[in-house]
Amino acid sequence: MSITPYRRVLAVRDARRVLLLGFLLRLPIFSAGVILTLHVVSHLHRTYTEAGLVAAAGTIAIAVSGPWRGRLLDRLGLRRVVAPSIVVNGVCWSIAPFVGYWALLVLSVVAGLFVVPTFSVIRQGVIAAVTEVDRRTALSLDGIVVELAFMTGPLLVVWLATVVSTTWVLFGIEMVGVVVGVLLWWADPPLRDASTTGSTAAPVQRAEWFRLKFVLFCAAATASTIVLTGSDVAFVAAMRQWSATASLGLVLVVWSVGSIVGGLVYGAISRPLPPSLLLLGLAVTTAPMALATSPWMLAAFSLLAGIFCAPTITATVDAISRVVPPSARGEAMGWHGSFMTTGSALGAPIGGVAIDHFGFGGGFVSVSILGALIALLAAAGARPRTGRPVEVEHRLAA
């Protein structure tokens, strides 16, 4: 595996800056569910169901905001969209940690609706910073940054919650997001390369690009997060069945390491792979985890399954960036993020129902079967049809 593509990407200052900002912005996002649950249960003395309601409400709000905020990003530019996010989130999260349950729920929804459109901004910034040849490598690096934030954020807030009150941990981690939002506003990274900046004068209608191929790529993204979140629940169930809950962290870290390795390899190979093929690989390698009989065996299986995690999501982002015109990428990436968020919301209950009936193995198998079916449907639907252009960009450029 050659590291030359990564050297080229990391040699670009804008790429390095956007990737760093992306890591910092995602820390509060991936930490929010954990710290909100701890805060509601331990500080507000509410049930886990009520804690889940707050997390779910905030997640739904973020999913709703994705396309809306992304469309504004395309029309108004980064600073005019990020500025209200900074103000609204600064106000909401300076109050929310210190109020009661229902006020916290309402404020988390408002903050979610005005969240910084991180995934749209960062992915567009990464794409704009590099050449088309290095796009997949840069997006793979962003996928690895996502994995690192996913691993680091929850561990950080859980540790901090053992040292100080959850009130101040929640306040602190959300204020980090606000401060980084200010840095993002100040940096104002380009979201389009110089060759496409003129497209802002002629906005492209949604009907021009929101077509079957785009939906299929988003469906693959949804399926990937269904498999991942369903697997999360199955991991917990397996550890509880073996009375080895203390080893859960080990398995999750091994799983994430596999994803990072897979992302690095995928970013360095010379040709892209279809998202549907990678999704099928993720589904097929997830199923054998149902056969594990110990934490160590499960960790070994998870390493293999993890190899397909980051590449699958990266491939969907890369594919969408090539079928959507640059002037609509903000909204498109917002839709992509919303589809992924929807998958995250569906994966846990789907896996949970199967676990209740068939044990932890049922959790892995159920989401694996669903992921494989969607992969096959996406592959069938994405077959090129005679006489139709491959990319929207080519047709619009004519």
Side-chain angles (χ1 to χ4, degrees):
M1 183 184 74
S2 174
I3 64 171
T4 301
Y6 290 105
R7 284 180 174 172
R8 286 199 303 266
V9 171
L10 293 175
V12 179
R13 188 191 67 165
D14 283 348
R16 295 197 305 269
R17 184 170 58 178
V18 170
L19 288 169
L20 177 59
L21 287 170
F23 174 75
L24 296 174
L25 282 168
R26 284 156 174 152
L27 283 177
I29 294 174
F30 291 133
S31 305
V34 174
I35 190 58
L36 277 171
T37 299
L38 290 174
H39 181 69
V40 170
V41 172
S42 65
H43 183 76
L44 299 180
H45 307 293
R46 296 280 185 151
T47 66
Y48 280 99
T49 299
E50 290 171 311
L53 178 60
V54 174
T59 299
I60 292 170
I62 292 172
V64 170
S65 76
W68 165 54
R69 305 286 288 166
R71 188 170 180 81
L72 289 177
L73 201 64
D74 293 328
R75 292 181 171 183
L76 304 178
L78 186 147
R79 284 187 166 175
R80 293 175 65 184
V81 173
V82 170
S85 295
I86 295 169
V87 174
V88 172
N89 275 266
V91 171
C92 287
W93 290 117
S94 63
I95 298 171
F98 308 98
V99 297
Y101 175 77
W102 292 108
L104 172 63
L105 188 149
V106 171
L107 288 168
S108 68
V109 169
V110 174
L113 289 173
F114 284 89
V115 69
V116 174
T118 302
F119 288 94
S120 293
V121 169
I122 299 305
R123 284 165 177 166
Q124 285 193 93
V126 167
I127 290 170
V130 300
T131 64
E132 187 172 347
V133 173
D134 291 327
R135 180 182 299 181
R136 182 163 40 83
T137 302
L139 289 173
S140 292
L141 275 174
D142 182 57
I144 292 166
V145 166
V146 170
E147 284 291 339
L148 293 174
F150 178 77
M151 292 169 60
T152 306
L155 290 175
L156 176 63
V157 296
V158 168
W159 175 76
L160 287 172
T162 64
V163 180
V164 297
S165 168
T166 56
T167 297
W168 292 106
V169 178
L170 179 58
F171 175 81
I173 195 66
E174 294 296 348
M175 286 304 108
V176 167
V178 172
V179 170
V180 180
V182 173
L183 292 176
L184 178 66
W185 180 91
W186 174 77
D188 192 20
L191 302 184
R192 299 174 197 160
D193 59 56
S195 64
T196 60
T197 51
S199 61
T200 54
V204 178
Q205 296 299 314
R206 186 183 298 117
E208 295 285 347
W209 54 268
F210 201 105
R211 296 188 172 185
L212 179 61
K213 186 172 287 189
F214 173 80
V215 173
L216 289 174
F217 292 146
C218 287
T222 302
S224 68
T225 50
I226 288 176
V227 174
L228 297 180
T229 54
S231 296
D232 269 332
V233 176
F235 282 133
V236 175
M239 292 303 155
R240 292 189 64 187
Q241 180 174 316
W242 298 327
S243 300
T245 306
S247 298
L248 177 61
L250 169 66
V251 175
L252 293 179
V253 167
V254 172
W255 195 35
S256 296
V257 168
S259 180
I260 291 172
V261 171
L264 285 170
V265 172
Y266 184 67
I269 62 177
S270 59
R271 300 184 67 178
L273 297 173
S276 56
L277 179 61
L278 290 166
L279 173 60
L280 184 61
L282 175 63
V284 169
T285 54
T286 294
M289 291 195 284
L291 303 176
T293 58
S294 70
W296 288 106
M297 184 180 293
L298 185 58
F301 283 135
S302 72
L303 181 65
L304 178 61
I307 289 174
F308 288 91
C309 294
T312 303
I313 295 172
T314 297
T316 62
V317 177
D318 185 27
I320 285 173
S321 74
R322 298 180 189 278
V323 299
V324 173
S327 61
R329 277 188 192 144
E331 183 180 357
M333 293 301 174
W335 278 108
H336 178 270
S338 295
F339 271 86
M340 289 187 64
T341 301
T342 301
S344 296
L346 292 174
I350 290 172
V353 169
I355 290 167
D356 287 339
H357 287 84
F358 305 106
F360 78 86
F364 290 121
V365 172
S366 62
V367 295
S368 174
I369 291 174
L370 184 57
L373 288 175
I374 294 176
L376 294 173
L377 289 173
R383 288 177 181 171
R385 299 175 185 176
T386 306
R388 292 189 65 182
V390 175
E391 295 194 7
V392 174
E393 291 165 274
H394 293 168
R395 175 167 49 80
L396 294 173

